[in-house]
Amino acid sequence: MLNETKEILKSYYGIDDNTLKFSDEVLEDISDQFENIKRVREYNQYKVLKAMQECRLSDNHFNWTTGYGYNDIGREKVEEIYSKVFGCEDSIVRPIIVNGTHALTLCLQGILRPGDELLSVTSKPYDTLEGVIGIREEKGSLKEFGVTYSQVDFLSSGDIDFDGIKEKINDKTKMVFIQRSKGYSWRKSLTISDIEKVVKFVKNIKEDVIVMVDNCYGEFIETKEPTEVGVDIMAGSLIKNPGGGLALTGGYIAGRKDLIELISYRLTTPGIGKECGLTFGTTRNVLQGFFMAPYIVSQALMGAIFCARSFEKLGYEVLPKFDDKRCDIIQIVKLNNEEEVIAFCQGTQSAAPVDSYVKPVPWAMPGYDSEVIMAAGAFVQGSSIELSSDAPIKPPYNVYFQGGLTFDHSKMGTLKAIEYIKKLGQ
Ligand SMILES: *Cc1c(COP(=O)(O)O)cnc(C)c1O
């Protein structure tokens, strides 16, 4: 580390000598993990570059059309490149998909019909999907349209319950649903090889069952994506991994051509599908972000590992551990009490480039059964590929730490969190 760096860390950022020394030790501990991440990143970078070259991406794809948006070559190019990188037949990548939940909902509503059953094999899906499915009563849910829901929980070991899946698959089961990332629950995330096992297992029981993956936070963590190991359809958000911090909004859906067609009839109307719809000048940012994504994801991963090792060393329980195989960019740290949770989030907020002077406090957010605290300070509102942390204010006092467009910045987030927690004891 340069003397200039030490100086600015001390004089401006308030990181004391002990924490600096500690940080160096942490870096040493995690150097092997970093090497692995760099190897995956390199492959994914060349995979994306190859797709852009093979699709003959050109300057004129960054223009945009008006009105109906027929023959929007920029929009078509974005979707062609996504399909190629994700190794699938077709995709929908649009700014009019407002978030990840919307992308996932379009898949469910586009494919499922009255009388069909949806089977989640990774316990309860992400919070926002509960209302969509009808686990929580909501107007317009799948339940209201006669689609039933069933679920297989993880075993107490944290593994997938294959026997349970076999029991639950029946004549009505149209779709098997997998959530790749842990989201906001204390559980393992799934590796690509885990996902491949589920695909083989369920198709062996019922050949025509459709396997869908909630791919949020998973893109570019490994060298393959779910659609490259037999998954029929997957979806995610552009303000997470694949947007590379540059996409300003949007979501994507990727998979089998026949399913993309069905989904496109939900996106617009039956018969029109994905032939219409403007991109509003977003294709440049979306593609530049996609180009940057393998690198940005590697930075977020390195930041998560730094956070994991740091808090492990300080005596806290963390998930995943610093040397566990990573399946998403989320790091969970189990803190001791409310004060530590608040200090952690205020620390990461104080490291932000935007709104660093703001002090986040717990508040009663609709849809949550306890107060939550959220630290952000992002260039793109709500972006969670940028550094952020959040936590419900209740035992077991888990805080979720994710993102960071550069490792150095993410590291600062952890160092600040440590300093803020240290101050509590003084
Ligand atoms: C972020 C996320 C979603 C979608 O969330 P949005 O806020 O609607 O983009 C869905 N599933 C998982 C696992 C997620 O992490």
Side-chain angles (χ1 to χ4, degrees):
M1 187 181 280
L2 295 176
N3 283 331
E4 287 92 327
T5 314
K6 282 188 191 142
E7 188 47 43
I8 196 175
L9 283 174
K10 254 204 292 205
S11 65
Y12 179 77
Y13 291 101
I15 310 291
D16 70 21
D17 279 334
N18 285 336
T19 305
L20 264 184
K21 196 165 143 263
F22 175 78
S23 161
D24 284 343
E25 288 166 13
V26 169
L27 281 175
E28 228 162 85
D29 296 345
I30 60 184
S31 60
D32 284 353
Q33 275 64 45
F34 279 18
E35 285 315 306
N36 274 329
I37 288 171
K38 285 177 193 164
R39 279 193 278 269
V40 175
R41 169 179 93 199
E42 185 178 26
Y43 171 74
N44 282 328
Q45 183 68 76
Y46 296 153
K47 183 186 190 187
V48 172
L49 177 62
K50 175 171 173 275
M52 290 183 172
Q53 292 183 352
E54 285 179 346
C55 293
R56 300 176 65 83
L57 178 62
S58 169
D59 217 17
N60 51 12
H61 297 123
F62 304 139
N63 298 331
W64 55 299
T65 52
T66 57
Y68 293 124
Y70 283 118
N71 306 313
D72 184 323
I73 57 168
R75 182 190 69 214
E76 287 165 2
K77 195 54 71 178
V78 171
E79 292 177 346
E80 188 188 345
I81 289 170
Y82 257 73
S83 304
K84 191 153 246 179
V85 168
F86 290 159
C88 59
E89 294 172 351
D90 205 358
S91 63
I92 297 172
V93 187
R94 309 270 168 134
I96 55 164
I97 298 179
V98 300
N99 55 26
T101 304
H102 188 193
L104 293 157
T105 301
L106 287 169
C107 296
L108 297 171
Q109 292 181 337
I111 295 170
L112 297 167
R113 295 289 179 270
D116 288 343
E117 186 156 287
L118 168 68
L119 174 63
S120 168
V121 298
T122 45
S123 293
K124 205 163 61 70
Y126 196 72
D127 271 357
T128 53
L129 289 177
E130 286 183 24
V132 175
I133 294 167
I135 302 170
R136 189 177 69 235
E137 288 295 330
E138 202 76 68
K139 291 191 189 82
S141 70
L142 288 171
K143 186 178 166 197
E144 202 179 289
F145 285 88
V147 175
T148 53
Y149 170 77
S150 157
Q151 164 183 321
V152 179
D153 291 333
F154 286 103
L155 296 168
S156 49
S157 62
D159 295 319
I160 288 180
D161 179 4
F162 284 96
D163 292 335
I165 295 176
K166 191 163 185 186
E167 262 169 45
K168 289 268 168 87
I169 291 185
N170 60 49
D171 288 349
K172 285 172 60 187
T173 311
K174 174 79 163 284
M175 180 189 279
V176 164
F177 182 90
I178 300 170
Q179 183 182 308
R180 181 174 177 187
S181 161
K182 66 180 87 60
Y184 297 114
S185 42
W186 183 275
R187 66 133 165 123
K188 281 189 226 166
S189 297
L190 270 59
T191 63
I192 288 294
S193 130
D194 292 332
I195 292 172
E196 188 169 16
K197 257 182 238 151
V198 175
V199 171
K200 289 210 171 110
F201 186 79
V202 299
K203 299 233 173 191
N204 201 24
I205 297 170
K206 192 170 186 181
E207 204 185 340
D208 61 352
V209 78
I210 293 163
V211 180
M212 169 174 167
V213 168
D214 172 352
N215 205 31
C216 284
Y217 282 132
E219 300 89 353
F220 299 120
I221 305 287
E222 298 191 47
T223 55
K224 280 186 183 164
E225 295 300 330
T227 36
E228 293 172 271
V229 294
V231 164
D232 299 293
I233 198 82
M234 66 179 189
S237 163
L238 296 199
I239 60 167
K240 291 182 179 171
N241 305 13
L246 291 177
L248 301 183
T249 188
Y252 79 86
I253 300 163
R256 253 166 55 190
K257 198 170 183 62
D258 60 324
L259 300 179
I260 289 288
E261 185 185 3
L262 287 175
I263 295 162
S264 76
Y265 291 165
R266 270 289 168 165
L267 176 80
T268 61
T269 77
I272 291 177
K274 64 193 284 258
E275 303 305 318
C276 272
L278 300 194
T279 46
F280 306 99
T282 55
T283 58
R284 181 195 308 274
N285 278 0
V286 163
L287 286 172
Q288 194 177 356
F290 202 45
F291 180 72
M292 294 297 294
Y295 189 86
I296 302 291
V297 168
S298 79
Q299 300 299 288
L301 274 177
M302 287 156 72
I305 291 170
F306 182 85
C307 177
R309 183 58 182 157
S310 297
F311 277 88
E312 220 172 296
K313 247 176 142 68
L314 292 170
Y316 293 92
E317 202 181 331
V318 299
L319 184 80
K321 299 207 183 342
F322 83 98
D323 55 355
D324 282 345
K325 187 172 167 55
R326 297 265 151 179
C327 310
D328 60 38
I329 64 168
I330 303 174
Q331 181 60 48
I332 311 182
V333 179
K334 190 182 264 181
L335 297 168
N336 291 319
N337 50 50
E338 177 172 342
E339 290 70 37
E340 287 190 355
V341 169
I342 295 171
F344 185 108
C345 291
Q346 291 182 344
T348 46
Q349 180 82 38
S350 78
V354 181
D355 291 338
S356 62
Y357 52 87
V358 170
K359 215 177 197 159
V361 289
W363 59 299
M365 206 176 132
Y368 289 82
D369 58 0
S370 68
E371 287 196 312
V372 277
I373 183 165
M374 295 188 168
F379 294 100
V380 173
Q381 185 196 81
S383 165
S384 40
I385 185 66
E386 294 186 54
L387 183 64
S388 56
S389 68
D390 32 82
I393 304 288
K394 61 175 181 189
Y397 300 112
N398 290 337
V399 59
Y400 298 83
F401 175 93
Q402 63 266 312
L405 299 179
T406 71
F407 168 66
D408 298 319
H409 179 228
S410 182
K411 184 174 100 175
M412 178 61 76
T414 293
L415 295 178
K416 280 292 206 178
I418 293 172
E419 288 295 346
Y420 270 60
I421 288 176
K422 259 192 190 172
K423 267 192 233 141
L424 288 177
Q426 287 166 9

